[in-house]
């Protein structure tokens, strides 16, 4: 009777253990888990094979607890085998962040290696630094060139715009008589009327017309034929123009009547004097003298326009209309 009870106890215990095993969730295939279960099954079989267990109700509860514990161990072994053999990571949700993602620092990758410590400059991209200013070139430090002076003679245009001809400075003589002078408004003042021998008189018989739009005492003049003159040998006009160390251009508008005029130009710092002559023994004549010069700052270009000879018993003379500087 005791031996017949043993199979019943085994059947009930085996059924409960089978129920625990049937309740385990299905898992991914795992060779380690299968081998573990096989080893556990063989070990349980070896435990159940030995001889008889004590019969009677007192022995059955202990047997049940033993089998339940072994079944639990089998479940744990299978779980460990499953976890140890997972190879495919679960896909991350769309737009999600994986566990391996690192929180961004907020700076470009190159920022981590930045070593400069200069201040940022407005108008540049964040953390961008301006390059150093280039060293002064040899050209910017070069000394002014040597003194230069050239003089040429040409025809005066039929109409002269002094505003365009003299962007730096200009002067016109004779608009309202022999003592009348109009200068460029806000001009540089580098043209100096240095006088000259003889009495000046005004006249309105020039062949060319002069006009301007930026005069000082007279703001605007469309066209005027007026100028000044002085009679007699040795009489004439003297002018001076300031130097700046740069090349400059002076245009002198002058004339004569039944005379020979002599133009002389030189630099106050020394050097040769350039001389040009113009004459007309019968009537009047005019010319545009172009003087290009370079003189140090503080030096001057000196100009004289005088009557060298006359061909009239009345009043052979030289005349002056305007001078412009650019």
């Amino acid at each position: 009777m005791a031996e017949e009870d043993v199979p019943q106890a085994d059947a009930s215990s085996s059924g409960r253990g089978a129920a625990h095993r049937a309740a385990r969730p299905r898992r991914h295939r795992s060779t380690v888990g299968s081998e573990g279960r096989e080893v556990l099954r063989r070990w349980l079989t070896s435990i159940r094979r030995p001889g008889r267990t004590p019969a009677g109700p007192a022995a059955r509860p202990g047997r049940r607890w033993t089998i339940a514990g072994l079944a639990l161990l089998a479940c744990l072994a299978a779980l460990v085998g499953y976890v140890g053999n997972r190879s495919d990571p679960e896909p991350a949700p769309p737009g999600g962040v994986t566990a391996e993602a690192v929180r961004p620092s907020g700076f470009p990758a190159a920022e981590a290696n930045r070593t400069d410590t200069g201040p940022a400059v407005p108008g540049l991209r964040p953390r961008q630094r301006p390059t150093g200013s280039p060293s002064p070139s040899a050209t910017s430090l070069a000394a002014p060139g040597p003194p230069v002076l050239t003089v040429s003679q040409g025809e005066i245009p039929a109409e002269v715009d002094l505003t365009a001809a003299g962007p730096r400075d200009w002067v016109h003589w004779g608009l309202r008589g022999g003592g009348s002078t109009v200068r460029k408004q806000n001009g540089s003042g580098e043209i100096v009327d240095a006088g000259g021998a003889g009495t000046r008189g005004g006249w309105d018989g020039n062949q060319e017309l002069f006009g301007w739009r930026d005069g000082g005492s007279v703001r605007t003049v469309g066209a005027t034929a007026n100028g000044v003159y002085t009679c007699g040998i040795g009489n004439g006009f003297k002018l001076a123009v300031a130097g700046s160390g740069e090349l400059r251009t002076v245009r002198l508008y002058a004339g004569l009547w039944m005379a020979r005029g002599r133009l002389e130009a030189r630099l106050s710092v020394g050097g040769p004097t350039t001389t040009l002559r113009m004459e007309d023994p019968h009537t009047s004549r005019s010319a545009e003298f172009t003087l290009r010069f370079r003189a140090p700052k503080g030096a001057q270009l000196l100009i004289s326009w005088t009557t060298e000879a006359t061909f009239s018993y009345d009043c052979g003379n030289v005349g002056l209309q305007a001078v412009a500087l650019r």
Side-chain angles (χ1 to χ4, degrees), residues 270-318:
T273 298
T274 301
T275 303
L276 291 180
R277 289 177 172 84
M278 181 178 70
E279 72 173 55
D280 192 320
H282 307 291
T283 185
S284 63
R285 185 177 177 183
S286 60
E288 177 187 77
F289 296 101
T290 301
L291 302 92
R292 292 184 172 88
F293 78 103
R294 177 167 55 213
K297 190 172 183 179
Q300 291 179 316
L301 167 66
L302 304 177
I303 306 170
S304 67
W305 173 237
T306 59
T307 304
E308 189 175 59
T310 63
F311 304 100
S312 169
Y313 295 104
D314 184 12
C315 181
N317 63 74
V318 293

Side-chain angles (χ1 to χ4, degrees), residues 84-319:
N85 285 272
R86 285 184 62 186
S87 58
D88 298 329
E90 296 182 0
V97 180
T98 61
E100 292 80 5
V102 180
R103 180 184 174 194
S105 65
F107 296 97
E111 181 67 11
N113 296 322
R114 187 172 62 85
T115 58
D116 60 291
T117 57
V121 176
L124 300 179
R125 291 186 295 174
R127 301 297 180 183
Q128 187 177 354
R129 295 297 186 275
T131 58
S133 58
S135 58
S137 63
T139 302
S140 62
L141 299 178
V148 173
L149 174 59
T150 63
V151 183
S152 62
Q153 177 181 337
E155 297 291 330
I156 300 178
E159 293 187 7
V160 177
D161 181 358
L162 292 177
T163 300
R168 293 186 63 86
D169 201 12
W170 60 260
V171 181
H172 180 271
W173 287 270
L175 180 64
R176 295 174 179 170
S180 174
T181 302
V182 179
R183 301 188 66 98
K184 177 182 178 70
Q185 186 179 36
N186 299 323
S188 64
E190 293 169 312
I191 299 174
V192 178
D193 184 349
T199 301
R200 294 182 184 182
W203 72 301
D204 59 2
N206 289 309
Q207 298 95 324
E208 299 82 24
L209 302 177
F210 294 83
W212 58 84
R213 301 176 303 279
D214 57 349
S217 57
V218 180
R219 178 68 177 176
T220 302
V221 169
T224 178
N226 291 8
V228 294
Y229 70 96
T230 181
C231 298
I233 296 175
N235 294 335
F237 307 91
K238 292 185 177 181
L239 304 171
V241 182
S244 65
E246 300 176 349
L247 281 172
R248 291 186 166 181
T249 300
V250 176
R251 301 190 191 281
L252 175 67
Y253 304 96
L256 53 80
W257 184 76
M258 297 185 69
R260 181 171 67 238
R262 183 179 71 243
L263 178 73
E264 293 182 343
R266 64 183 179 88
L267 299 178
S268 64
V269 293
T273 298
T274 301
T275 303
L276 291 180
R277 289 177 172 84
M278 181 178 70
E279 72 173 55
D280 192 320
H282 307 291
T283 185
S284 63
R285 185 177 177 183
S286 60
E288 177 187 77
F289 296 101
T290 301
L291 302 92
R292 292 184 172 88
F293 78 103
R294 177 167 55 213
K297 190 172 183 179
Q300 291 179 316
L301 167 66
L302 304 177
I303 306 170
S304 67
W305 173 237
T306 59
T307 304
E308 189 175 59
T310 63
F311 304 100
S312 169
Y313 295 104
D314 184 12
C315 181
N317 63 74
V318 293

